[in-house]
């Protein structure tokens, strides 16, 4: 039986653009099934936001939305942000206040992206479904630094705009040899920013439940070429001393991209600066069946925002076609995070059950969307997983 304490968590839903709405509905269905069959309670607040909202209303979300996320949410679940051709006048992504503004404004410094291949998943390589990778060989956890690096200016612009503060663009200095038109995204990498994400990576390596005999953290950077990465790597080496039982390796990002595809079993936890993490996690999604399977959590010291890694998929919007599992697994990460940060063992238990149910669903149900070789709709997958979760919780708790 679940404990008697009824906990109510305020969950803010940010469905965002396009298919973000469809997948967040399915994730909510699953959370509803948990709530209906346990003592865990959720109070949902949905906030309209994103590029299309900006196009229609001239604002990315209603005034006060950031504050709801900051002050009144136990956790946040985001769908997808961005719509083709919709940008702010200065060229910024319309919807950036939501995704980048929250990352910077709530100091969600670790973007945590599991790359796990479920048993039974066919992935697409060379345009065909295949089973190139063995599921026991693909179980990585990539942490992407989420508040600085090459995104720094844009992150700061987004958060300052939300707060109504002015933003001083860093002037383009000292590139006279490049002519008079230069666009410059500085890439600051700080000791502070690196320490906190690297420490998180070692924490995950310590606690993560894997079949690996040796726990390992890999630092992925480009320290053969750039100063920022040299600092990143040396801070990584310092922090690693605090975790003597975890082994470490280093890889340059270009070689890592190759090795991750060739020998994914060589990696456990991986930590990388912002843009590199963005790129290698899209590539990594191919190892797990595609973007429809890629979940993530943006984690700070006091807030968590969870989102599928995929975008808004305009071409599939409104078709009830896309895979909701990335969003459902993001909700799973949310529940696990709630369990850990609030010390709620019921939430932890429910998160475990949800993860187990997704695995069972994939290997037994054959109710899968097109990207996994099936023909089920988004909502059929959501219904099937929600039913399975509901009945499993009733049975096991
Ligand atoms: C991601 C996305 C975002 C990013 C976009 C939507 C700003 O690609 O979460 O990976 O680049 O970080
Ligand atoms: Mn991305």
């Amino acid at each position: 039986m679940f404990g008697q304490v009824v906990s109510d968590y305020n969950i803010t839903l940010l469905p965002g653009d396009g298919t973000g709405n469809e997948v967040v509905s399915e994730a909510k269905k699953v959370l509803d099934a948990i709530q209906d069959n346990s003592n865990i309670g959720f109070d949902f607040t949905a906030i309209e936001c994103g590029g299309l909202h900006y196009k229609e209303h001239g604002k990315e979300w209603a005034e006060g939305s950031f504050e709801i996320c900051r002050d009144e949410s136990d956790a946040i679940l985001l769908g997808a942000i961005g719509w083709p051709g919709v940008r702010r006048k200065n060229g910024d992504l319309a919807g950036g206040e939501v995704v980048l503004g929250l990352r910077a404004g709530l100091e969600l410094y670790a973007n945590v992206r599991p790359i796990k291949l479920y048993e039974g998943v066919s992935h697409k390589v060379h345009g065909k479904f295949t089973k190139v990778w063995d599921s026991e060989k693909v179980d990585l956890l990539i942490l992407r630094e989420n508040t600085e690096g090459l995104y720094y200016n844009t992150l700061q612009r987004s958060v300052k705009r939300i707060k109504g503060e002015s933003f001083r663009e860093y002037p383009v200095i000292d590139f006279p040899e490049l002519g008079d038109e230069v666009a410059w995204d500085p890439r600051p990498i700080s000791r502070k920013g690196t320490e906190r994400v690297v420490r998180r990576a070692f924490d995950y390596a310590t606690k993560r439940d894997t079949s690996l005999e040796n726990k390992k953290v890999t630092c992925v950077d480009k320290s053969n070429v750039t100063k920022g990465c040299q600092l990143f790597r040396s801070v990584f080496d310092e922090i690693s001393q605090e975790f003597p039982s975890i082994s470490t390796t280093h890889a340059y990002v270009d070689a890592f991209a190759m090795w991750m595809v060739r020998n994914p079993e060589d990696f456990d936890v991986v930590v990388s600066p912002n843009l590199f993490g963005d790129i290698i996690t899209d590539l990594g999604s191919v190892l797990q069946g595609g973007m429809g399977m890629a979940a993530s959590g943006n984690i700070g010291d006091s807030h968590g925002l969870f989102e599928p890694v995929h975008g808004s998929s305009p071409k599939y919007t409104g078709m009830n076609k896309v895979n909701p599992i990335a969003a459902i697994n993001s909700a799973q990460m949310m529940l696990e995070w709630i369990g850990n940060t609030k010390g709620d063992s019921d939430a932890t238990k429910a998160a475990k059950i949800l993860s187990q149910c997704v695995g069972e669903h994939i290997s037994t149900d054959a109710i899968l969307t097109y990207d996994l070789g099936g023909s089920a709709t988004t909502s059929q997958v959501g219904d099937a997983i929600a039913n399975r979760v509901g009945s499993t919780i009733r049975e096991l708790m």
Side-chain angles (χ1 to χ4, degrees):
M1 266 307 281
F2 264 98
Q4 292 308 301
V5 183
V6 177
S7 33
D8 257 319
Y9 295 111
N10 291 324
I11 307 296
T12 299
L13 302 175
L14 299 170
D17 290 306
T19 54
N21 291 278
E22 294 162 52
V23 297
V24 165
S25 292
E26 300 312 314
K28 179 173 178 295
K29 224 181 240 177
V30 172
L31 293 171
D32 281 337
I34 291 170
Q35 146 159 274
D36 291 347
N37 291 285
S38 74
N39 286 330
I40 305 171
F42 301 111
D43 279 332
F44 294 104
T45 303
I47 297 177
E48 284 181 28
C49 58
L52 286 174
H53 194 270
Y54 175 77
K55 191 174 175 190
E56 214 171 297
H57 305 279
K59 278 181 181 179
E60 300 182 18
W61 47 2
E63 211 68 45
S65 300
F66 172 79
E67 288 73 12
I68 292 175
C69 293
R70 186 189 59 196
D71 305 330
E72 293 165 37
S73 309
D74 289 302
I76 307 162
L77 186 65
L78 172 72
I81 289 296
W83 200 254
V86 188
R87 304 202 74 87
R88 298 189 65 99
K89 287 189 195 74
N90 69 351
D92 278 355
L93 171 75
E97 278 180 22
V98 182
V99 61
L100 300 173
L102 285 170
R103 286 177 186 173
L106 303 182
E107 296 210 56
L108 307 173
Y109 54 83
N111 194 326
V112 182
R113 299 183 161 185
I115 297 189
K116 178 181 157 63
L117 177 60
Y118 284 88
E119 194 72 60
V121 164
S122 298
H123 34 247
K124 249 186 179 171
V125 179
H126 212 95
K128 297 194 183 77
F129 286 108
T130 176
K131 291 188 179 172
V132 176
W133 291 283
D134 300 332
S135 58
E136 72 273 13
K137 292 190 173 169
V138 181
D139 188 5
L140 293 77
L141 189 76
I142 301 188
L143 276 82
R144 159 188 180 188
E145 198 294 319
N146 214 25
T147 54
E148 50 183 53
L150 203 62
Y151 279 55
Y152 187 71
N153 256 11
T154 311
L155 286 160
Q156 287 301 313
R157 241 186 347 261
S158 307
V159 77
K160 298 250 154 118
R161 196 165 55 230
I162 294 172
K163 294 184 176 170
E165 295 167 13
S166 63
F167 177 69
R168 181 177 62 87
E169 284 287 342
Y170 296 91
V172 179
I173 43 161
D174 256 358
F175 299 113
E177 68 283 11
L178 296 181
D180 57 9
E181 191 171 353
V182 176
W184 186 41
D185 299 289
R187 191 198 65 166
I189 288 184
S190 71
R191 166 171 288 277
K192 176 182 155 228
T194 307
E195 273 179 3
R196 60 189 189 177
V197 71
V198 166
R199 204 165 263 125
R200 262 309 155 102
F202 280 93
D203 276 352
Y204 276 104
T206 308
K207 295 184 189 132
R208 200 163 98 91
D209 192 12
T210 64
S211 54
L212 292 171
E213 275 173 32
N214 298 312
K215 292 166 175 292
K216 178 159 80 178
V217 183
T218 304
C219 177
V220 171
D221 59 55
K222 193 70 187 171
S223 56
N224 52 339
V225 179
T226 75
K227 292 243 182 243
C229 284
Q230 284 158 16
L231 178 61
F232 194 88
R233 186 178 282 211
S234 74
V235 170
F236 173 87
D237 288 342
E238 277 173 38
I239 302 282
S240 71
Q241 305 299 311
E242 297 169 21
F243 300 87
S245 65
I246 295 174
S247 59
T248 58
T249 49
H250 306 94
Y252 299 134
V253 63
D254 46 353
F256 174 80
M258 169 188 63
W259 287 329
M260 178 176 62
V261 172
R262 211 176 61 179
N263 300 99
E265 69 275 20
D266 286 353
F267 302 103
D268 175 11
V269 173
V270 172
V271 62
S272 192
N274 203 337
L275 181 69
F276 297 156
D278 182 41
I279 297 168
I280 59 181
T281 51
D282 269 31
L283 175 60
S285 81
V286 180
L287 301 173
Q288 60 183 154
M291 292 297 263
M293 297 299 292
S296 80
N298 299 262
I299 314 269
D301 288 331
S302 48
H303 292 87
L305 180 161
F306 300 82
E307 53 171 333
V309 179
H310 62 69
S312 60
S313 315
K315 89 172 179 198
Y316 292 128
T317 294
M319 294 170 71
N320 199 14
K321 194 172 160 88
V322 297
N323 189 350
I325 294 178
I328 291 169
N329 280 352
S330 301
Q332 189 280 337
M333 291 178 75
M334 178 177 89
L335 210 49
E336 190 174 88
W337 177 82
I338 287 175
N340 290 336
T341 54
K342 316 270 181 202
D344 180 344
S345 58
D346 284 351
T348 304
K349 221 168 190 177
K352 277 213 178 93
I353 290 175
L354 171 50
S355 155
Q356 174 197 322
C357 286
V358 169
E360 287 168 8
H361 169 85
I362 291 168
S363 57
T364 60
D365 265 8
I367 299 176
L368 299 171
T369 43
Y370 77 99
D371 54 318
L372 300 181
S375 56
T377 62
T378 309
S379 47
Q380 283 168 342
V381 174
D383 286 341
I385 295 176
N387 287 336
R388 185 180 281 276
V389 170
S391 58
T392 311
I393 284 194
R394 266 201 308 279
E395 195 182 301
L396 288 186
M397 297 280 138

